[in-house]
Amino acid sequence: MAVLVCRVMKPPKKKTKPIDPALILAEAMRLAEGQLLDEAIAALEKADGHVECDYRRAGLLLARQRAPEAETLFRRVLTAIPGHLDTMVGLAGALVAQGRAAESLALLEPAAQIQPQSGRIHYLLGIALEEAGRSQAAAPHLAKARALVIAPAERRQLVPYELYVQLSRRCNLRCTMCGWEIWKDNSGFMEDAVFERVIAEGKASGIKTMHILAGQGEPFLHPRVFEMLEHAVAEGFQVGIVTNGTPFTPDKISRLSKLGLAYLQFSFAGWDAPSYESVYVGAKFERIVVNLKAIHKALKDTPTRFAVKAVALGDWEVNLRKTKAFLASIGITDVWTVPANNFGGSVQCGSLSERHGIWSLKDIDHHRLMPCRLFLKAVGVFCDGTVTACGCYDSNAQLKIGNIMDQGLGEIRRGSAYGRILDAFRNGDVRDIPMCGKCDDPFG
């Protein structure tokens, strides 16, 4: 009698998909461009040990103020590629961020010899020398770094290449991260004649990018905002806009989807009524979430990039994590998360840097003043035509440099008012410049 031998058949092993570092890098860079730095770091961890992925992850960790982890990865990359200059500079940055300036000098001094026109190397070397007690040796390196940052603007003869435009001075909220307490006025809309001049001057200056953003004002309160946006887009500008999302109705959202904007940023932070309404004072959470979902849906299949600009105070990292989790629960993952800045010194947030005498949520002690990049690349135009050197935070024209109804943008920027501010940045001392002297943006 034959004996049947039964064998237990094991299920075939599931094949694991091999890791493709190139795809991981591409995905991580896409996430990083959208300010999703933590997500980009997590993506790169999947290719742990791949030199390029480790290098990129180290840079992102440093940007997230996780210097010890960045140091470990930079050292790993240098073991694989000894003498790699960018990695040496990255490692030096991680050491400086940890207050270990003396250790970074052995990396930065030869790097400055190899790349004498690198602003970043001179900047880090200046900080390292200063914190190592060699202030006299540090000064020329910091001056060189500032000069290298300014040089591209001077090669353009100071003509700006971006515009920040205030269509509405009026705002309907009193957000805690905003400098509304110092506003001198809360009324006024840009008239058509001024906007036409903005369009004409922008085109004459070769400007392609127009941000509808100012230190004060909700643009969608303007009664002709849609006509103005349509006009700017038709004239060839890449137009982006930031809104608190309150003025929208279904009809306005439908019209918004047809504008062809480059981007729309929806300012939002919170995960329930108390957390949201304590920051966006005057708005209602339930109403805003309805608008948020509707605008996200309306722009989904359009060229307009929709993103939530999540800015928070207090325990900001925890708050932003909760905000992102809430937004993900309603299908929104494109979130630009930033700690609140001090609005040119008008908002006291975070802690006081004893070294710089400036309030900030950022750790700026191991940074030094550098020329503000927004100041170099753009101007702000108020609704009455006043031109300010700071399109982001200047709500009261403290940094007025001219009026677009009287002069061209290049002429304004080459004038004495702008020149005074530029020279202050060049010399590394803006204490006598309104707003700039207390702003935390030029640090870090």
Side-chain angles (χ1 to χ4, degrees):
M1 183 175 176
V3 177
L4 295 176
V5 178
C6 296
R7 293 182 180 177
V8 177
M9 299 296 291
K10 294 182 180 179
K13 288 185 178 179
K14 194 174 182 180
K15 291 183 179 180
T16 57
K17 193 174 181 180
I19 291 172
D20 186 337
L23 290 178
I24 288 174
L25 273 171
E27 173 65 7
M29 293 305 100
R30 183 190 69 79
L31 291 166
E33 286 174 6
Q35 294 290 319
L36 301 172
L37 302 190
D38 290 335
E39 290 81 354
I41 290 168
L44 290 167
E45 284 176 352
K46 298 173 185 175
D48 184 51
H50 183 271
V51 173
E52 178 71 9
C53 291
D54 284 349
Y55 171 74
R56 298 293 179 185
R57 180 155 56 110
L60 292 171
L61 287 165
L62 188 56
R64 291 290 287 118
Q65 299 184 21
R66 293 163 62 179
E69 296 167 81
E71 178 189 350
T72 298
L73 284 178
F74 280 132
R75 290 193 184 280
R76 182 195 291 179
V77 174
L78 278 178
T79 299
I81 315 175
H84 186 256
L85 186 65
D86 289 343
T87 305
M88 290 169 58
V89 175
L91 175 57
L95 294 172
V96 168
Q98 296 175 78
R100 293 155 60 191
E103 293 178 57
S104 71
L105 291 175
L107 298 162
L108 291 169
E109 288 176 329
Q113 295 293 322
I114 297 168
Q115 283 194 358
Q117 296 303 308
S118 168
R120 175 164 170 73
I121 292 174
H122 283 289
Y123 174 71
L124 289 172
L125 181 53
I127 295 172
L129 287 166
E130 193 171 271
E131 295 193 2
R134 297 166 59 187
S135 297
Q136 192 170 356
H141 290 287
L142 291 172
K144 177 82 169 180
R146 294 191 297 269
L148 287 168
V149 171
I150 291 171
E154 292 185 320
R155 286 196 292 269
R156 295 192 311 272
Q157 296 184 307
L158 300 180
V159 176
Y161 59 89
E162 292 187 11
L163 282 171
Y164 283 70
V165 181
Q166 181 192 59
L167 294 185
S168 167
R169 180 178 281 127
R170 183 178 166 229
C171 189
N172 56 337
L173 301 183
R174 295 293 181 270
C175 303
T176 57
M177 75 285 193
C178 177
W180 63 269
E181 291 176 322
I182 68 167
W183 295 350
K184 292 182 178 179
D185 191 7
N186 189 33
S187 63
F189 298 125
M190 182 173 283
E191 295 181 358
D192 287 348
V194 178
F195 193 63
E196 287 293 343
R197 177 70 174 172
V198 171
I199 294 285
E201 270 303 309
K203 292 178 72 174
S205 300
I207 294 172
K208 302 295 184 184
T209 303
M210 181 185 296
H211 307 277
I212 309 300
L213 170 67
Q216 173 186 351
E218 165 51 48
F220 283 99
L221 294 177
H222 195 297
R224 285 180 43 78
V225 60
F226 286 99
E227 289 82 1
M228 288 175 154
L229 294 175
E230 287 166 354
H231 181 33
V233 171
E235 290 290 342
F237 288 93
Q238 292 288 307
V239 182
I241 195 164
V242 180
T243 176
N244 63 34
T246 57
F248 287 96
T249 63
D251 287 344
K252 288 181 178 179
I253 292 171
S254 176
R255 191 170 181 183
L256 177 70
S257 68
K258 300 177 178 67
L259 286 175
L261 298 176
Y263 71 83
L264 181 139
Q265 286 184 2
F266 194 120
S267 184
F268 176 92
W271 52 94
D272 56 20
S275 60
Y276 171 80
E277 292 172 12
S278 64
V279 176
Y280 292 82
V281 179
K284 294 300 179 184
F285 178 74
E286 290 186 7
R287 166 79 186 277
I288 283 298
V289 171
V290 169
N291 285 351
L292 185 60
K293 290 178 178 178
I295 293 173
H296 177 241
K297 181 179 179 181
L299 296 179
K300 190 172 184 180
D301 296 319
T302 73
T304 303
R305 180 183 174 185
F306 173 84
V308 170
K309 184 178 182 180
V311 183
L313 291 165
D315 192 355
W316 68 270
E317 293 201 58
V318 172
N319 292 343
L320 290 177
R321 278 199 297 272
K322 290 182 178 180
T323 295
K324 288 171 69 175
F326 168 74
L327 291 168
S329 75
I330 59 174
I332 298 173
T333 56
D334 198 348
V335 184
W336 184 38
T337 60
V338 290
N341 51 59
N342 71 9
F343 251 76
S346 62
V347 176
Q348 194 175 95
C349 59
S351 58
L352 180 67
S353 166
E354 292 186 11
R355 180 185 293 274
H356 302 300
I358 289 174
W359 287 88
S360 182
L361 279 169
K362 301 180 291 186
D363 181 3
I364 62 174
D365 279 347
H366 298 297
H367 291 277
R368 298 297 182 272
L369 178 86
M370 288 291 284
C372 175
R373 294 182 186 276
L374 178 62
F375 164 77
L376 292 173
K377 74 178 183 179
V379 294
V381 184
F382 286 95
C383 59
D384 63 357
T386 296
V387 178
T388 172
C390 176
C392 265
Y393 310 130
D394 187 9
S395 56
N396 295 325
Q398 296 181 73
L399 296 175
K400 177 181 177 179
I401 55 175
N403 193 297
I404 202 168
M405 304 303 285
D406 302 326
Q407 296 173 287
L409 291 173
E411 185 182 1
I412 289 172
R413 291 247 293 191
R414 289 188 290 271
S416 60
Y418 185 86
R420 174 174 171 262
I421 305 170
L422 181 63
D423 286 343
F425 273 116
R426 193 193 313 274
N427 296 328
D429 185 357
V430 294
R431 286 174 294 181
D432 293 333
I433 304 298
M435 301 191 73
C436 299
K438 291 295 182 182
C439 186
D440 61 346
D441 261 15
F443 296 87

